[in-house]
Amino acid sequence: MSDAPDQPVETPADAAASQIEAAQNEAAQNEAAHTEAAQIDLPAETGRRLAKIAQLRDQGVEPYPYRFDRSHTLAEIRAAHGELEPGTETEVRVQVAGRVLLLREQGKLVFATMRDRSGEIQLFVSKAVVGDETFAAVGQLDLGDWVGIDGTVMTTRKGELSVKVESIQLLSKAVRPMPDKWHGLTDTDTRFRQRYADLIVNEEARRNFEVRHAMIASFRRTLHRRGFIEVETPVLHVEAGGAHARPFITHHNALDQQMYLRIALELHLKRLIVGGMERVYEIGRIFRNEGISPRHNPEFTMMELYQAFGDYSEMIEITETLITQAAIDATGTSVVTVLGPGDASEVVDLAQPWRRARMIDLVEEATGVAVHPSQPVEQLRELAAAHDVAVLDRWGSGKIIEEIFESTAEHKLTAPCFVTGHPVEISPLARVDRNDPYLTERFELFMGGRELANGYSELNDPIEQRQRFEEEQAGKEAGNAEGMGVDHDYLRALEYGMPPTGGLGIGMDRVAMLLAGTTSIKEVILFPTLRPEVF
RNA sequence: GCCCCUUUAGCUCAAUGGUUAGAGCAGCGGACUUUUAAUCCGUUGGUUCUGGGUUCGAGUCCCAGAGGGGGCACCA
């Protein structure tokens, strides 16, 4: 898989031939290594199954065939025949495929439970129907094997919808034993590292990712309906801007250029607004080189959208619509149970209007002291000290207010709340509030003590944006590792003129957590970041 | 980075510092033509996460390390 180094002069055909040869040699070595490993490391059960594979091949049976043509998913069969009376035999012939989950041998009968993505069904195998040879083959099946079935739809005497097997084809032999058929996997380490095994045995895990998919599909529908265009912007950035976060640093060899994985989508999307695209969005992975927690994964999915001619009030409206509609589409109801922070939980109908409150008012509510970024910084330092909030020397009044908010008020926001009016100091890309020069037209959505969304009236004045960037740059030079640098190309774009614009970012993983009812982001990310496994 | 919890068979879990570390499931052998986590009989399977230490004796106590979880810190 490594990049091929530059080859000496060689025709493409030569190169291809030598690559194939190299690959074959490598494959042969790998096979030898695997056989050795099988003898030394793997559990006895795997050894038995590997022996079965050899035996099948001796009999001319391929344990890993290329394809199988199915006529129905299992859900389709259940939808069409779920109402059959007990003890019914039909002439309906079906070809189905799935994984064998349970085997119940009963003398000359075998009952098996099979599952495909759509659902489960019972296989009914009678020695008298399939003959000795096929019946023996069924006896050689192991839990976890993939099979293709040709048979007819029936119900058993007890009424269980089943496929009466006429022939069975092994589609893929599983050589590793399945986790416990009843308890599944509980060890979180194994569940996240071996997500494949988790998905096989844990219904809850499968459901979480169905919810996630339904949510994202819902977002796309809503945005499509409103005339938004989905775009893709670069992941590799020369300047990691658009948010305050430490970036991952990488390097482009040919350009000999240090690059950063993006920490936000914002600045490229707003360039597109300058270009006249008017309504754009992107659902994309962003990367922040920070701690891992139940609410943070270093790579996560953000949806950002920008709408020309709008401002933050429309962003609040669209946030409510997107999330409420996603709840309905993914769970069938706008009523959700918001979990957290801590053990807190609250049942909320998202279809009701969500609370709005200014950050400074929430701080006053929590501390009993009125605050405003126009106050002298000394006063706010005192208040911070009174609430055990650590303050850095370079922080101004606005940053201190935010810190006080985070430690005194944020954790009380279980039900949805739009926190608005962030100080200018902490909002370098947001437009100043039309009624208060110290605040911005900005909001963050909090639910379950977690930030889910962030939006504002976009700053489109290139002169003011340059000043804000320069303040950020100064902070960065003073030691703020999360500070933004000056993005000269972005400033150039603004100089061409950006229309008044509303912008919004939603943390998709956190919305997925809300709708799936989990308190850990790892439950809604298929392969969460973990320390590398030592083999 | 700090604190707490945790790690025992393929999986899920037991085991006062005291015989040879047990059980269910899975596996293996056997019985069974209507099972539903099938049932019944028999049975294989262990680097108790790793390395030290205390002790007559350690899965159990102590120290160090590793993985995971939670919290704090960091972090939009």
Side-chain angles (χ1 to χ4, degrees):
Chain A
M1 287 287 281
S2 63
D3 290 334
D6 290 342
Q7 300 282 334
V9 180
E10 202 176 28
T11 68
D14 284 344
S18 67
Q19 276 179 17
I20 289 169
E21 195 182 336
Q24 284 170 341
N25 287 339
E26 193 181 329
Q29 283 167 14
N30 283 345
E31 194 170 335
H34 284 156
T35 307
E36 203 174 312
Q39 286 166 355
I40 295 166
D41 291 327
L42 296 174
E45 172 62 4
T46 294
R48 272 191 290 276
R49 295 192 186 192
L50 289 170
K52 280 186 186 175
I53 286 177
Q55 194 185 345
L56 286 167
R57 289 206 162 112
D58 286 346
Q59 297 163 356
V61 176
E62 173 53 51
Y64 299 102
Y66 281 91
R67 61 174 290 127
F68 180 82
D69 293 311
R70 70 174 168 183
S71 62
H72 297 76
T73 67
L74 300 182
E76 286 167 351
I77 291 175
R78 197 165 290 282
H81 306 286
E83 306 301 317
L84 284 180
E85 294 294 313
T88 307
E89 301 254 348
T90 77
E91 301 295 318
V92 179
R93 175 165 292 277
V94 294
Q95 291 82 41
V96 294
R99 169 178 264 127
V100 176
L101 298 177
L102 296 170
L103 284 164
R104 296 180 289 278
E105 294 186 51
Q106 178 78 33
K108 296 186 177 65
L109 285 182
V110 173
F111 299 90
T113 303
M114 183 177 91
R115 182 170 69 218
D116 70 10
R117 194 181 75 181
S118 72
E120 296 180 3
I121 207 161
Q122 177 169 269
L123 303 178
F124 178 93
V125 189
S126 161
K127 192 175 187 181
V129 172
V130 300
D132 292 354
E133 198 177 316
T134 298
F135 197 74
V138 170
Q140 288 297 299
L141 287 177
D142 288 298
L143 301 186
D145 288 352
W146 290 88
V147 293
I149 301 295
D150 189 321
T152 55
V153 177
M154 61 167 282
T155 52
T156 61
R157 287 177 202 164
K158 294 271 176 63
E160 182 74 27
L161 183 66
S162 306
V163 174
K164 186 163 81 174
V165 174
E166 297 200 1
S167 70
I168 185 164
Q169 183 186 3
L170 181 62
L171 297 183
S172 183
K173 186 72 185 169
V175 300
R176 190 175 283 267
M178 293 294 111
D180 190 283
K181 66 182 179 184
W182 186 242
H183 300 97
L185 282 174
T186 59
D187 180 54
T188 50
D189 183 21
T190 311
R191 286 189 51 231
F192 299 145
R193 286 188 196 281
Q194 301 183 34
R195 182 66 88 179
Y196 32 88
D198 185 38
L199 290 168
I200 291 170
V201 296
N202 288 332
E203 166 75 31
E204 184 71 13
R206 291 193 294 274
R207 197 192 132 263
N208 287 347
F209 294 104
E210 284 164 11
V211 165
R212 183 182 174 117
H213 163 260
M215 168 199 79
I216 293 174
S218 173
F219 268 56
R220 285 202 161 98
R221 277 194 301 276
T222 299
L223 294 171
H224 177 75
R225 222 170 15 240
R226 292 183 177 224
F228 283 86
I229 291 172
E230 182 168 14
V231 299
E232 292 169 278
T233 63
V235 172
L236 295 174
H237 286 190
V238 173
E239 182 71 54
H244 291 133
R246 290 177 201 233
F248 285 90
I249 302 172
T250 186
H251 186 262
H252 188 280
N253 288 341
L255 297 179
D256 190 21
Q257 170 69 53
Q258 175 168 291
M259 302 193 90
Y260 304 92
L261 301 186
R262 64 185 177 187
I263 58 171
L265 310 175
E266 177 155 356
L267 297 180
H268 282 90
L269 292 176
K270 287 199 288 199
R271 284 171 169 90
L272 300 177
I273 299 298
V274 170
M277 292 182 79
E278 291 192 7
R279 295 183 182 204
V280 296
Y281 76 99
E282 178 169 6
I283 297 173
R285 199 73 60 84
I286 66 176
F287 306 84
R288 296 186 182 177
N289 206 338
E290 287 156 5
I292 296 173
S293 85
R295 295 163 292 284
H296 299 86
N297 198 63
E299 51 178 306
F300 62 103
T301 301
M302 182 84 97
M303 190 290 303
E304 286 194 31
L305 67 82
Y306 294 86
Q307 177 173 342
F309 316 125
D311 65 13
Y312 81 129
S313 59
E314 286 169 283
M315 296 300 106
I316 286 179
E317 182 276 323
I318 199 169
T319 302
E320 285 180 330
T321 300
L322 280 167
I323 294 175
T324 304
Q325 188 61 47
I328 292 167
D329 291 340
T331 69
T333 171
S334 60
V335 178
V336 298
T337 302
V338 183
L339 300 175
D343 296 330
S345 97
E346 190 165 335
V347 176
V348 173
D349 186 351
L350 297 174
Q352 303 297 315
W354 303 352
R355 184 185 178 199
R356 300 179 192 192
R358 294 195 304 174
M359 181 181 282
I360 54 176
D361 295 333
L362 288 167
V363 169
E364 181 173 356
E365 197 177 278
T367 64
V369 179
V371 297
H372 194 273
S374 61
Q375 287 171 283
V377 71
E378 291 75 18
Q379 286 181 13
L380 289 159
R381 286 208 176 114
E382 281 174 27
L383 182 61
H387 291 272
D388 292 325
V389 176
V391 170
L392 296 182
D393 287 344
R394 63 169 183 269
W395 290 356
S397 302
K399 175 65 177 168
I400 296 173
I401 288 172
E402 183 194 35
E403 291 289 324
I404 296 171
F405 163 76
E406 286 181 1
S407 46
T408 63
E410 185 180 289
H411 63 274
K412 296 174 183 167
L413 302 175
T414 297
C417 179
F418 289 107
V419 178
T420 65
H422 297 59
V424 173
E425 179 185 349
I426 56 166
S427 311
L429 301 167
R431 192 159 183 163
V432 168
D433 190 303
R434 60 199 82 183
N435 302 314
D436 186 337
Y438 291 91
L439 303 180
T440 56
E441 295 197 356
R442 178 180 176 188
F443 67 90
E444 288 180 307
L445 170 64
F446 283 86
M447 230 188 281
R450 289 181 279 268
E451 181 197 345
L452 265 66
N454 178 23
Y456 33 89
S457 301
E458 300 297 336
L459 175 57
N460 63 346
D461 175 342
I463 311 303
E464 185 179 349
Q465 183 66 74
R466 184 177 297 276
Q467 288 168 356
R468 301 265 204 107
F469 270 150
E470 281 165 0
E471 285 158 18
E472 283 287 312
Q473 180 73 40
K476 193 174 180 179
E477 282 160 11
N480 178 13
E482 292 83 39
M484 284 183 219
V486 179
D487 187 330
H488 296 283
D489 178 74
Y490 178 69
L491 290 171
R492 178 167 60 191
L494 289 189
E495 286 163 8
Y496 280 101
M498 184 167 84
T501 298
L504 168 65
I506 297 184
M508 299 298 274
D509 310 273
R510 291 188 176 173
V511 180
M513 289 168 67
L514 172 72
L515 301 185
T518 72
T519 53
S520 169
I521 198 170
K522 291 183 171 70
E523 297 290 353
V524 296
I525 293 178
L526 281 166
F527 299 100
T529 304
L530 300 170
R531 277 197 172 76
E533 189 171 5
V534 178
F535 283 96

